[in-house]
């Protein structure tokens, strides 16, 4: 046995660095958006010089080190036969007990500065927790793998096994997927992370808009003052080129971030679980029990369709979803999947997930419902926008004739494309749902996983005899809109039959 289970254990001093970094990152995440949003960041930058800012940073670093040392000193954990227990807190003492059979996932992490000591961080997640329920830093490998083994073994077996052996290797099983660096880079380009970067830059622009506008104004004056003539370029060329350059840099940054996060990615299939290992500066190992797999989906963005690139997501139950790197913490992301190989990979993960060749579409009155409402909303917005620009009402109508035609045509095309993407099918106790707009989202799940269903309709749907079927799994709802009432009731009855015959699967 590694240590006596009844004794509370302390963290080693190797944990001080990862604890300090984690606390610092959390404080920055929580305080930086509020600081920048209030405009305080611009005030600090304008009112202090480099010396003052350096002293403030040094004082903040010193306080962080002292806080991390105090937090590290008061942290304790204990491994019982039926649960893991943690005591933590500086000003308020907190004790948490997580039974082993309630653990959804145990993730092992190893930062590059812990590799020489062969120390790992352990993150324990539960289905009802908010992301990371328990986090223990810098444990010896034997202890970390023992925690993972206990979480995957029933308490009755643990009670008889007083001396559990650690697993000989970090990852075992059949390797299902190992994308190369190119595929991993394309995952960042195609997965939509570039829009998160753009939103973050937009948030920084508000409090620093004065300095940015001043600097951009200087560049524009230099360009008009002679640089444009020297290069022989006009604004009609430079403006699109500048926007294209910014977008290319954002896509490059998203690809580099994905390469760092999913470096040397490998997905293994063990008899009872999926296990993924990846990471450049911090190696992560995450598992997903197949018996707790709620749904399996394939996500293909608009850029991904052009590149022939998609990624898979294995969904788990979660009461609260945190987002890390633009991705949900309750789902296991399988990046860098080529479109032709995606269905085969889904079938290897779940042999019952055989995508049907024919799927039913939703009722065409989907278009009759959404097209006029979206068009009316956009036209009203266009009318008030042109009024705000100072045009007379009749002048607005004349000037808006071309934009109105464009809005009507584009809206009709968008609604038609959205209707075409909605598909669903039922086959051998599984439900398959496909949706999307410019991209595509395909999802499959066993019908006995459904915990709650609801048939609802609006006045338009009731007049047409249509409804929307809403199916709730442990990780959230799925819906099939605009299907005939009789068909929805029949499908709901078949779902209830599967649930009652096979038993509800809550977690």
């Amino acid at each position: 046995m590694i240590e006596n289970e009844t004794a509370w254990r302390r963290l080693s001093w190797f944990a001080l660095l990862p604890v300090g970094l984690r606390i610092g990152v959390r404080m920055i995440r929580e305080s930086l958006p509020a600081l920048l949003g209030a405009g305080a960041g611009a005030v600090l930058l304008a009112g202090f010089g480099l010396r003052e800012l350096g002293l403030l940073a040094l004082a903040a670093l010193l306080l962080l080190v002292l806080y991390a040392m105090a937090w590290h000193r008061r942290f304790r954990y204990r491994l019982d036969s039926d649960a893991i227990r943690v005591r933590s807190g500086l000003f308020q003492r907190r004790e948490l007990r997580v039974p082993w059979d309630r653990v959804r996932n145990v993730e092992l992490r190893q930062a590059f500065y812990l590799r020489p000591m062969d120390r790992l961080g352990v993150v324990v997640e539960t289905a009802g927790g908010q992301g990371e329920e328990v986090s223990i830093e810098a444990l010896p490998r034997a202890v970390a793998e023992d925690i993972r083994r206990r979480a995957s073994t029933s308490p009755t077996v643990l009670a008889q096994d007083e001396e559990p052996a650690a697993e000989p290797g970090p990852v075992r099983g059949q390797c299902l997927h190992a994308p190369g660096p190119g595929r991993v880079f394309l995952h960042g380009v195609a997965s939509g992370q570039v829009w998160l970067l753009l939103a973050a830059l937009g948030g920084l622009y508000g409090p620093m808009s004065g300095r940015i506008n001043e600097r951009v104004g200087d560049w524009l004056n230099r360009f008009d003052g002679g640089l444009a003539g020297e290069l022989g370029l006009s604004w009609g060329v430079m403006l699109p080129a500048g926007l294209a350059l910014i977008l290319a840099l954002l896509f490059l940054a998203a690809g580099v971030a994905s390469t760092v996060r999913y470096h040397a990615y490998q997905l293994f299939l063990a008899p009872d679980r999926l296990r993924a290992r990846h990471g450049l500066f911090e190696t992560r190992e995450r598992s997903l029990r197949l018996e707790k797999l709620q749904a399996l989906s394939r996500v293909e963005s608009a850029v991904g369709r052009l590149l022939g690139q998609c990624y898979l997501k294995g969904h788990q139950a979660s009461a609260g979803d945190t987002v890390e790197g633009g991705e949900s913490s309750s789902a296991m992301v399988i990046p860098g999947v080529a479109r032709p190989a995606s269905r085969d990979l889904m079938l290897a993960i779940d042999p019952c997930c055989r995508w049907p060749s024919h799927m039913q579409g939703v009722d065409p009155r989907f278009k009759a419902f959404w097209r006029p409402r979206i068009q009316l909303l956009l036209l009203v917005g266009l009318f008030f926008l042109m009024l705000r620009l100072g045009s007379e009402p009749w002048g607005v109508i004349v000037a808006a004739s071309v934009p109105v035609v464009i809005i009507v045509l584009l809206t009709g095309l968008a609604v038609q494309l959205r209707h075409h993407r909605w598909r669903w099918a039922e086959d051998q106790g599984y439900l398959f749902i496909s949706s999307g707009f410019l991209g595509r989202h395909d999802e499959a799940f066993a019908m006995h996983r459904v915990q709650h269903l609801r048939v609802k309709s609006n006045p338009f749907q009731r007049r047409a005899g249509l409804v929307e079927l809403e199916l709730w799994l442990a990780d959230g709802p799925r819906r099939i809109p605009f299907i005939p009432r009789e068909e929805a009731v029949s499908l709901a009855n078949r779902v209830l039959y599967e649930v009652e015959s096979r038993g509800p699967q809550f977690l």
Side-chain angles (χ1 to χ4, degrees):
M1 192 170 184
I2 298 175
E3 282 190 25
N4 189 349
E5 287 186 351
T6 61
W8 288 95
R9 310 181 189 182
R10 298 181 58 178
L11 294 178
S12 69
W13 286 105
F14 293 119
L16 191 58
L17 179 57
V19 165
L21 291 176
R22 189 183 66 191
I23 294 175
V25 170
R26 185 181 63 196
M27 293 175 62
I28 291 174
R29 284 181 177 177
E30 293 176 354
S31 61
L32 188 60
L35 186 67
L36 294 177
V43 175
L44 287 176
L45 290 176
F48 294 96
L50 293 178
R51 180 180 179 182
E52 289 80 3
L53 291 176
L55 292 176
L56 286 175
L58 185 60
L61 180 62
L62 179 61
L63 290 176
L64 176 63
V65 170
L66 294 176
Y67 182 84
M69 292 179 64
W71 190 93
H72 170 272
R73 183 177 179 84
R74 292 179 63 86
F75 186 91
R76 299 288 188 278
Y77 72 97
R78 193 170 85 182
L79 306 180
D80 293 337
S81 61
D82 60 342
I84 180 173
R85 299 173 64 181
V86 170
R87 287 178 181 174
S88 61
L90 185 57
F91 303 106
Q92 183 178 6
R93 196 70 167 172
R94 175 175 175 261
E95 182 171 329
L96 178 65
R97 180 181 180 274
V98 179
W100 295 116
D101 58 352
R102 296 299 180 187
V103 175
R104 182 191 70 190
N105 176 48
V106 176
E107 181 175 346
L108 304 185
R109 302 178 178 179
Q110 188 177 48
F112 66 94
Y113 47 81
L114 293 178
R115 290 172 188 168
M117 289 78 71
D118 199 24
R119 298 273 175 161
L120 292 87
V122 175
V123 176
V124 176
E125 300 176 357
T126 63
Q130 301 285 334
E132 299 181 0
E133 193 78 7
V134 174
S135 181
I136 309 176
E137 301 290 351
L139 292 176
R141 177 174 291 276
V143 177
E145 293 184 346
D146 181 49
I147 293 176
R148 185 176 63 185
R149 189 196 64 83
R150 289 168 183 264
S152 60
T153 309
S154 64
T156 56
V157 175
L158 282 177
Q160 301 172 1
D161 184 13
E162 295 184 354
E163 195 165 341
E167 297 182 7
V171 179
R172 293 188 299 177
Q174 175 191 1
C175 184
L176 292 181
H177 180 57
R183 285 287 178 185
V184 172
F185 180 86
L186 290 178
H187 170 74
V189 174
S191 61
Q193 296 184 26
V194 62
W195 311 120
L196 296 176
L197 294 174
L198 192 60
L201 292 177
L204 293 174
Y205 173 77
M208 303 180 65
S209 58
R211 288 197 172 189
I212 293 176
N213 292 337
E214 181 180 354
R215 183 64 59 88
V216 172
D218 293 339
W219 290 345
L220 294 179
N221 291 332
R222 290 179 56 192
F223 181 80
D224 288 335
L227 188 58
E230 294 177 3
L231 297 177
L233 299 175
S234 63
W235 278 108
V237 175
M238 289 296 296
L239 187 58
L243 295 177
L245 177 61
I246 294 175
L247 194 60
L249 291 176
L250 290 175
F251 277 115
L252 178 62
V256 171
S258 176
T259 302
V260 171
R261 180 178 176 84
Y262 293 109
H263 172 74
Y265 183 92
Q266 289 180 305
L267 178 70
F268 293 87
L269 177 63
D272 62 338
R273 70 188 60 234
L274 290 173
R275 186 165 290 166
R277 182 182 177 87
H278 58 88
L280 180 60
F281 299 115
E282 183 181 48
T283 303
R284 297 189 177 192
E285 185 179 322
R286 186 175 185 180
S287 61
L288 186 154
R289 294 189 193 180
L290 295 177
E291 63 178 9
K292 295 188 177 183
L293 178 66
Q294 297 295 313
L296 190 61
S297 63
R298 184 187 73 162
V299 183
E300 197 174 10
S301 66
V303 178
R305 291 179 68 84
L306 296 175
L307 300 175
Q309 176 93 4
C310 65
Y311 62 93
L312 304 186
K313 294 176 71 174
H315 298 268
Q316 302 178 89
S318 178
D321 241 4
T322 58
V323 175
E324 184 177 359
E327 295 163 353
S328 167
S329 66
S330 66
M332 173 182 279
V333 176
I334 304 174
V337 181
R339 185 194 303 166
S342 58
R343 295 285 167 81
D344 292 336
L345 183 56
M346 294 177 72
L347 195 61
I349 295 173
D350 187 349
C352 297
C353 185
R354 189 176 300 275
W355 206 264
S357 58
H358 174 72
M359 302 182 70
Q360 303 181 51
V362 300
D363 194 273
R365 281 167 284 194
F366 174 93
K367 297 179 287 185
F369 177 79
W370 284 112
R371 186 189 297 118
R373 286 163 175 79
I374 297 176
Q375 289 174 349
L376 179 62
L377 181 63
L378 294 177
L379 292 176
V380 170
L382 176 64
F383 180 80
F384 283 104
L385 176 63
M386 300 195 72
L387 281 181
R388 186 174 180 83
L389 294 177
S391 303
E392 297 294 332
W394 287 110
V396 167
I397 296 176
V398 174
S401 57
V402 175
V404 165
V405 173
I406 295 176
I407 287 176
V408 170
L409 293 177
L410 291 181
T411 304
L413 180 62
V415 173
Q416 173 67 31
L417 187 59
R418 179 68 168 165
H419 170 264
H420 178 72
R421 289 276 190 266
W422 270 113
R423 292 286 186 271
W424 69 276
E426 175 204 353
D427 186 33
Q428 299 181 358
Y430 271 65
L431 199 58
F432 303 86
I433 301 176
S434 181
S435 61
F437 177 47
L438 296 178
R440 183 169 178 173
H441 185 275
D442 300 331
E443 190 163 30
F445 57 90
M447 292 194 293
H448 68 270
R449 294 283 184 182
V450 175
Q451 298 187 7
H452 168 71
L453 61 84
R454 180 170 56 178
V455 178
K456 62 181 183 179
S457 60
N458 55 42
F460 178 90
Q461 291 172 326
R462 284 194 290 271
R463 289 195 300 268
L466 302 171
V467 297
E468 177 177 319
L469 182 60
E470 199 171 73
L471 305 161
W472 285 78
L473 277 67
D475 66 321
R478 276 75 173 167
R479 66 188 187 96
I480 307 176
F482 285 84
I483 58 176
R485 175 178 292 275
E486 296 79 8
E487 198 169 356
V489 172
S490 176
L491 178 59
N493 289 333
R494 293 196 296 272
V495 170
L496 293 176
Y497 172 78
E498 289 288 336
V499 172
E500 292 174 359
S501 61
R502 301 188 58 176
Q505 304 290 327
F506 294 108
L507 299 178

